[in-house]
């Protein structure tokens, strides 16, 4: 049997002496490692599994410490701030176009911007919504123009009518939108007056009628919406022209034509009823009625007739 | 004992099936001179050992050699393991090289070895056919009725192959299933080896983290690879001249009917040279392979071979011998081996076989002049055999030294039906009903 202990070598041959080469054999560990290395699942694990685990593990370890998170957030914030603070993004001026001076003042008050500020801090959609919520603004365009100017292009609602309600006199535009109270806003030019329930919804029609009634301008007082369906034209001395529901401008045209031809409004009438456009009806005052009867030769004491 | 062996062989067969399913298996030839490992890749779908065994191209198309590793053997003498640790290291070396070449990890290995004193037995058994047509169950009962000969102390059965079936008065059936008859008789060839050799082998394979998927006798698998088909059919003997043992197997009708080993081989020739010329074994081996021969001519007297030594004695280290002297040392030993082979063949009754063909293979059969010498001793119908060509085998492994490896590959791909491939007949189950039910479920679900 071979000796079990370490081999005793009394004679060591010199290093350059030819020696019989010991049979090469892999160690158990080398053999096992090679077999492991040749295992497909192990290779797949090394190639994909291990990197994923290492990266994920590192991330999780980093994230699990709240101080790291804070530090990271702070750094991101800092970076963001430095970028935002660059002069290229600075907004220093607000320029309002297309608004009257008082409206421009209102807009500046509404936006209440504290210049200089970064264009990242501007919430343009929100600002646009805010501006469009203002009654005097029909449409607003906001953009950050060059040289740090916040350009606000306003399409202003101009008051076109005065709407008399029970409580107040309101300024409305052609779409019937209430812009302001008459008392709180000075107007530059006189505006036509309309009244009645629902008059604001028919403002566009009222404007048309007003344009048509230009020849009557000297005696025109205003327009009254009756029953939310038709217009009465109020003239001086409380005379009325009752316009039909359908096609009132035609009816008004006829009245004006009558007036120009026969001076109908110069006569002693209370109202012209055009609700049946094909049959204008006049209501005469009491004196006029008597005169008419007299002219017709039918002088009857009104009291008897009534009786 | 028999039942134990039956279980072990069935376990190995199951592992072999598993390896075939996985597609990669290693075959390991544990020889006395070299240990070589081939890694085989099996084609998908071409499997099934119980299928057609005599396929086209003799079956080598089903697999491909994808890796080979060979290392000098250590710790193996006479074809059996002598030093377990050394053998384990050698197996590790071979397997690692083969795995590296194959780029694959192998887990299952089939092993062939030459030694362990194989002994052949012819056993007969018979059974009545149950319902006219022979079924697998009838074959199993016929096999189970075989009387097991007294193998001797510490011996195990390595191969138990049914070689011949007779049905009533017809004999020479290779597969009786489906035939109609009453009495089924079977001839079984039993090969027993020493059990401790198997134990040592199991230990080595286990130490290398490998699963043993089968064991084979080296003379048998050498015959499988070196004998051509008609030699196997008509009857021939294969003499596998290895390093430490010379295996003899006799084939008839494609079955091995006898196997034996002579415990002498090329290593003994080397040691004779080493002793006679007083040179180290490694040097003797080199001289033998380079200048060796068996038939001396006048030319050989003039061819001087320089003997080298490292004793330090100038006169001893600077000697010359003629090649004739070398031949004179080698020839008696080779003659002795061949005489012994002749004796074994005679003992087996080889001369009564219709064909007297003998094929010499194995590493030691490469000595020049062996065919001339052997034909004087063994007979005229003799040739030097090389293993069958298989796909993917490297050029360096095509020589006769690799006939065992190649044969083992063929055996792995197309195993012979063995006794344990048939189920134990139902009557011999100890606890019948429950186990049978469990077994039925496992087989069918």
């Amino acid at each position: 049997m071979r000796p079990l202990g370490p081999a005793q070598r009394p004679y060591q041959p010199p290093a350059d002496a030819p020696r019989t080469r010991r049979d090469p054999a892999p160690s158990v560990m080398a053999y096992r490692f090679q077999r492991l290395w040749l295992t497909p699942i192990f290779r797949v694990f090394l190639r994909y599994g291990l990197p994923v685990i290492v990266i994920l593990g590192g991330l999780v370890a980093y994230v699990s410490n709240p101080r790291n998170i804070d530090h990271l957030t702070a750094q991101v914030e800092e970076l963001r701030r430095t970028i935002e603070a660059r002069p290229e993004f600075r907004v220093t001026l607000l320029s309002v176009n297309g608004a009257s001076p008082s409206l421009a003042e209102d807009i500046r008050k509404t936006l209440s911007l504290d210049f200089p500020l970064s264009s990242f801090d501007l919430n343009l959609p929100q600002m646009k919504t805010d501006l469009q919520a203002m009654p005097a603004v029909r449409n607003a365009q906001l953009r950050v123009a060059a040289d740090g100017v916040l350009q606000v292009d306003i399409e202003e609602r101009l008051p076109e009518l005065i709407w008399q309600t029970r409580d107040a006199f309101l300024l409305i535009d052609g779409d019937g939108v209430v812009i302001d109270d008459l008392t709180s806003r000075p107007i530059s030019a006189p505006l036509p007056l309309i009244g009645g329930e629902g008059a604001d919804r028919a403002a566009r029609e009222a404007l048309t009628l007003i344009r048509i009634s230009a020849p009557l301008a000297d005696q025109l007082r205003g327009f009254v919406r009756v029953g939310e369906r038709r217009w009465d034209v109020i003239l001086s001395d409380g005379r009325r022209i009752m316009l039909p529901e359908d096609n009132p401008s035609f009816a008004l045209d006829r009245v004006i034509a009558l007036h120009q031809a026969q001076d109908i409004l110069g006569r002693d009438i209370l109202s012209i009823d055009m609700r049946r456009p094909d049959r204008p009806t006049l209501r005469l005052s009491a004196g006029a009625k008597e005169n008419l009867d007299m002219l017709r030769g039918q002088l009857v004491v009104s009291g008897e007739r009534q009786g | 004992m028999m039942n134990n062996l039956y279980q072990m062989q069935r376990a190995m067969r199951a592992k072999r099936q598993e390896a075939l399913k996985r597609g990669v298996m290693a075959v390991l030839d544990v020889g006395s001179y070299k240990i070589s490992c081939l890694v085989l890749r099996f084609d998908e779908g071409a499997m099934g050992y119980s299928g057609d065994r005599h396929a086209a191209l003799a079956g080598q198309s089903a697999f491909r050699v994808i890796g080979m590793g060979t290392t000098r053997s250590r710790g193996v003498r006479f074809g059996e393991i002598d030093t377990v640790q050394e053998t384990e290291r050698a197996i590790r070396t071979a397997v690692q090289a083969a795995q590296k070449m194959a780029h694959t990890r192998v887990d299952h290995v089939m092993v062939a070895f030459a030694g362990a004193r194989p002994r052949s037995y012819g056993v007969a058994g018979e059974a009545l056919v149950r319902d006219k047509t022979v079924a697998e169950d009838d074959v199993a009962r016929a096999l189970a009725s075989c009387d097991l000969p007294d193998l001797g102390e510490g011996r195990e059965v390595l191969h138990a192959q049914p070689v011949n079936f007779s049905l009533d008065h017809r004999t020479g059936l290779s597969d009786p299933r489906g035939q109609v008859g009453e009495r089924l008789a079977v001839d079984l060839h039993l090969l027993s080896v020493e059990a401790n050799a198997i134990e040592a082998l199991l230990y080595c394979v286990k130490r290398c983290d490998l699963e043993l998927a089968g064991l084979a006798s080296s003379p048998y698998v050498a015959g499988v690879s070196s004998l051509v088909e008609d030699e196997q059919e008509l009857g021939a003997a294969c003499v596998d001249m290895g390093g430490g043992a010379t295996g003899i197997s006799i084939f008839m009708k494609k079955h091995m009917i006898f196997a034996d080993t002579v415990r002498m081989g090329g290593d003994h020739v080397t040691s004779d040279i080493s002793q006679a010329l007083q040179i180290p074994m490694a040097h003797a081996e080199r001289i033998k392979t380079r200048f060796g021969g068996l038939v001396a001519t006048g030319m050989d007297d003039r061819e001087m071979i320089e003997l080298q030594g490292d004793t330090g004695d100038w006169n001893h280290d600077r000697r010359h011998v003629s090649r004739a002297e070398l031949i004179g040392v080698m020839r008696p030993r080779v003659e002795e081996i061949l005489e012994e082979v002749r004796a074994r063949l005679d003992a087996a009754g080889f001369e009564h076989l219709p064909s007297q063909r003998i094929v010499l293979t194995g590493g030691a059969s490469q000595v020049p002049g062996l065919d001339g010498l052997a034909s004087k001793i063994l007979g005229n119908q003799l040739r030097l055999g090389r293993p069958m060509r298989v796909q993917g085998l490297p050029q360096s492994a095509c020589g006769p030294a690799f006939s065992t490896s190649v044969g083992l590959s063929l055996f792995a791909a197309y195993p012979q039906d063995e006794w344990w491939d048939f189920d134990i007949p139902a009557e011999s189950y100890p606890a019948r009903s429950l186990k049978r039910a469990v077994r039925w479920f496992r087989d069918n679900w």
Side-chain angles (χ1 to χ4, degrees):
Chain A
M1 183 174 165
R2 297 184 312 148
L4 293 174
Q8 302 284 320
R9 287 248 197 112
Y11 165 69
Q12 290 287 339
D16 57 339
R19 275 184 296 171
T20 50
R21 202 160 57 92
R22 194 171 145 77
D23 287 320
S27 67
V28 175
M29 290 314 294
Y31 175 76
R32 290 208 174 134
F33 180 74
Q34 192 223 18
R35 283 171 66 76
L36 186 65
W37 188 246
L38 288 174
T39 311
I41 191 158
F42 180 74
R43 298 289 285 269
V44 168
F45 172 75
L46 272 196
R47 185 174 293 171
Y48 302 109
L50 202 62
V52 166
I53 286 174
V54 165
I55 290 171
L56 281 187
L59 278 181
V60 165
Y62 187 78
V63 162
S64 59
N65 189 345
R67 271 176 50 203
N68 287 335
I69 295 277
D70 292 346
H71 182 67
L72 201 66
T73 332
Q75 279 213 328
V76 169
E77 282 299 313
E78 180 60 35
L79 188 68
R80 194 187 158 85
R81 211 170 304 125
T82 51
I83 291 174
E84 285 176 0
R86 289 183 71 83
E88 289 86 346
F89 300 117
R90 199 173 297 152
V91 176
T92 51
L93 203 64
L94 175 66
S95 156
V96 182
N97 284 359
S100 58
S102 62
L103 178 63
E105 195 57 38
D106 283 352
I107 286 170
R108 281 172 200 283
K109 218 174 283 173
T110 309
L111 294 180
S112 67
L113 295 173
D114 188 14
F115 292 113
L117 43 76
S118 166
S119 63
F120 285 96
D121 295 336
L122 294 174
N123 188 355
L124 291 183
Q126 180 60 43
M127 287 158 68
K128 181 172 178 175
T129 320
D130 286 349
L131 290 185
Q132 285 180 338
M134 292 172 70
V137 175
R138 175 175 296 140
N139 201 1
Q141 300 275 350
L142 288 92
R143 64 196 166 91
V144 177
D147 302 331
V149 176
L150 176 61
Q151 186 82 40
V152 182
D153 294 330
I154 295 291
E155 210 177 303
E156 191 179 353
R157 282 183 201 282
L158 293 173
E160 292 176 71
L161 295 167
I162 298 171
W163 181 30
Q164 180 186 4
T165 62
R166 286 181 201 283
D167 308 322
F169 289 89
L170 301 174
L171 291 170
I172 64 172
D173 76 339
D175 297 329
V177 177
V178 176
I179 297 168
D180 211 342
D181 198 280
L182 181 62
T183 52
S184 62
R185 184 186 171 99
I187 52 174
S188 49
L191 294 174
L193 182 71
I194 60 171
E197 193 100 340
D200 56 334
R201 287 197 287 281
R204 186 62 58 194
E205 199 176 38
L207 283 173
T208 314
L209 295 175
I210 286 163
R211 206 174 58 246
I212 291 168
S213 65
L216 306 178
D218 51 341
Q219 36 191 326
L220 185 70
R221 287 291 174 271
F223 287 74
V224 172
R225 191 74 170 161
V226 179
E228 295 190 38
R229 53 187 178 87
R230 62 174 201 84
W231 288 102
D232 271 6
V233 184
I234 310 293
L235 300 175
S236 52
D237 307 334
R239 289 169 297 164
R240 282 170 181 260
I241 302 171
M242 297 153 141
L243 297 177
E245 198 176 337
D246 296 327
N247 212 351
S249 48
F250 176 68
L252 189 58
D253 268 342
R254 281 195 66 180
V255 172
I256 288 167
L258 275 175
H259 173 61
Q260 284 169 346
Q262 303 186 357
D263 190 26
I264 196 166
L265 294 175
R267 308 196 184 206
D268 189 9
I269 56 170
L270 291 178
S271 65
I272 305 172
D273 187 351
M274 294 296 288
R275 285 178 291 182
R276 301 281 300 273
D278 50 341
R279 199 177 63 181
T281 311
L282 301 184
R283 181 189 289 176
L284 306 180
S285 63
K289 176 79 166 82
E290 278 179 21
N291 278 345
L292 184 62
D293 288 345
M294 224 157 54
L295 286 175
R296 283 181 179 162
Q298 295 175 343
L299 185 63
V300 177
V301 179
S302 60
E304 291 173 10
R305 178 117 192 249
Q306 298 276 319
Chain B
M1 202 280 292
M2 261 336 251
N3 213 32
N4 186 16
L5 167 92
Y6 191 93
Q7 299 301 340
M8 186 181 123
Q9 292 280 8
R10 287 204 74 133
M12 288 201 291
R13 192 51 68 94
K15 274 178 194 147
R16 188 183 310 170
Q17 292 291 69
E18 192 188 326
L20 290 184
K21 217 175 282 170
R22 196 180 287 184
V24 176
M25 178 155 57
V27 296
L28 194 65
D29 170 23
V30 181
S32 320
Y33 179 72
K34 65 163 174 38
I35 290 182
S36 62
C37 175
L38 299 182
V39 179
L40 312 178
R41 164 152 289 153
F42 292 91
D43 300 337
E44 202 62 43
M47 300 295 98
Y49 66 91
S50 57
D52 187 6
R53 267 183 283 126
H54 310 293
L57 294 170
Q60 77 272 44
S61 61
F63 65 90
R64 185 179 173 81
V65 179
I66 56 169
M68 189 200 81
T70 306
T71 184
R72 204 189 79 174
S73 177
R74 47 261 201 196
V76 183
R77 288 174 67 217
F78 304 120
E80 48 200 71
I81 292 172
D82 186 52
T83 316
V84 170
Q85 286 79 11
E86 288 292 308
T87 312
E88 181 204 325
R89 289 179 65 229
I91 291 177
R92 232 161 42 208
T93 313
V95 170
Q96 189 181 41
Q99 280 182 343
K100 191 172 178 183
M101 179 172 164
H103 274 297
T104 316
R105 175 196 166 129
V106 285
D107 287 321
H108 300 88
V109 66
M110 283 186 75
V111 184
F113 59 98
R117 300 177 190 275
R119 214 176 285 161
S120 273
Y121 300 90
V123 186
E126 64 173 52
L128 287 177
V129 178
R130 218 170 242 170
D131 42 341
K132 291 224 167 182
T133 315
V134 179
E136 207 150 302
D137 178 48
D138 299 310
V139 179
R141 278 187 297 115
L143 288 171
S145 71
C146 292
D147 283 330
L148 189 70
D150 183 17
L151 298 176
E153 190 62 31
R155 292 183 74 85
E156 289 255 22
V157 175
L158 186 62
H159 291 291
Q161 298 164 340
V163 294
N164 183 29
F165 289 99
S166 314
L167 196 57
D168 296 338
H169 300 291
R170 289 184 295 155
T171 186
L173 303 173
S174 59
D175 189 352
R177 281 172 293 186
Q179 305 256 31
V180 178
E182 282 186 356
R183 205 174 54 83
L184 180 71
V186 61
D187 294 318
L188 194 70
H189 174 239
L190 207 77
L191 192 71
S192 75
V193 293
E194 282 170 357
N196 49 17
I198 296 181
E199 293 292 325
L201 203 57
L202 279 176
Y203 180 77
C204 283
V205 167
K206 200 175 170 188
R207 285 286 300 258
C208 292
D209 304 333
L210 298 166
E211 300 242 34
L212 193 63
L215 281 170
S217 168
S218 163
Y220 169 51
V221 291
V224 168
S225 71
S226 326
L227 299 184
V228 298
E229 201 164 346
D230 54 340
E231 283 170 344
Q232 288 185 15
E233 178 71 33
L234 298 173
C238 174
V239 179
D240 174 24
M241 304 181 70
T246 297
I248 304 157
S249 57
I250 301 177
F251 278 72
M252 182 84 186
K253 295 205 168 185
K254 299 214 166 107
H255 292 291
M256 177 176 69
I257 56 172
F258 176 79
D260 204 346
T261 51
V262 175
R263 289 163 76 77
M264 273 186 289
D267 285 352
H268 297 82
V269 179
T270 310
S271 90
D272 283 352
I273 296 169
S274 172
Q275 285 177 28
L277 305 181
Q278 295 181 8
I279 50 175
M281 280 290 272
H283 189 42
E285 179 69 36
R286 205 177 69 82
I287 287 180
K288 181 185 85 173
T289 51
R290 192 147 165 221
F291 305 105
L294 292 176
V295 182
T297 60
M299 179 70 177
D300 294 328
D301 287 328
R302 294 192 295 277
E303 188 175 346
M304 300 306 284
I305 302 164
E306 189 182 344
L307 303 180
Q308 292 159 356
D310 51 0
T311 57
D313 178 354
W314 195 88
N315 285 316
H316 186 265
D317 289 353
R318 295 283 181 279
R319 286 173 300 141
H320 289 82
V321 292
S322 67
R323 189 166 175 234
E325 277 178 277
L326 178 67
I327 290 171
V329 174
M330 288 173 68
R331 184 173 170 122
R333 179 61 87 169
V334 176
E335 272 178 353
E336 186 191 355
I337 294 172
L338 292 175
E339 293 284 358
E340 190 65 32
V341 168
R342 176 79 256 168
R344 300 291 172 95
L345 286 177
D346 286 344
F350 181 63
E351 70 264 32
H352 302 301
L353 250 60
S355 167
Q356 298 290 309
R357 195 114 179 111
I358 292 178
V359 177
L360 293 178
T361 186
S365 72
Q366 299 174 98
V367 193
L370 179 70
D371 46 349
L373 180 63
S375 61
K376 281 180 191 153
I377 299 170
L378 298 176
N380 279 328
Q381 294 188 37
L382 181 133
R383 71 176 178 95
L384 295 179
R386 288 169 154 272
M388 185 185 282
R389 293 189 160 249
V390 294
Q391 268 192 325
L393 195 68
Q395 184 65 42
S396 60
C398 288
F402 285 86
S403 56
T404 302
S405 299
V406 174
L408 190 56
S409 309
L410 295 172
F411 180 65
Y414 287 91
Q416 175 89 35
D417 270 352
E418 303 223 21
W419 176 49
W420 33 80
D421 292 329
F422 295 94
D423 289 341
I424 295 178
E427 296 92 77
S428 59
Y429 274 106
R432 280 186 60 191
S433 52
L434 186 65
K435 276 197 179 171
R436 271 179 73 190
V438 169
R439 189 186 160 70
W440 186 83
F441 267 100
R442 202 188 297 142
D443 287 353
N444 291 281
W445 297 92

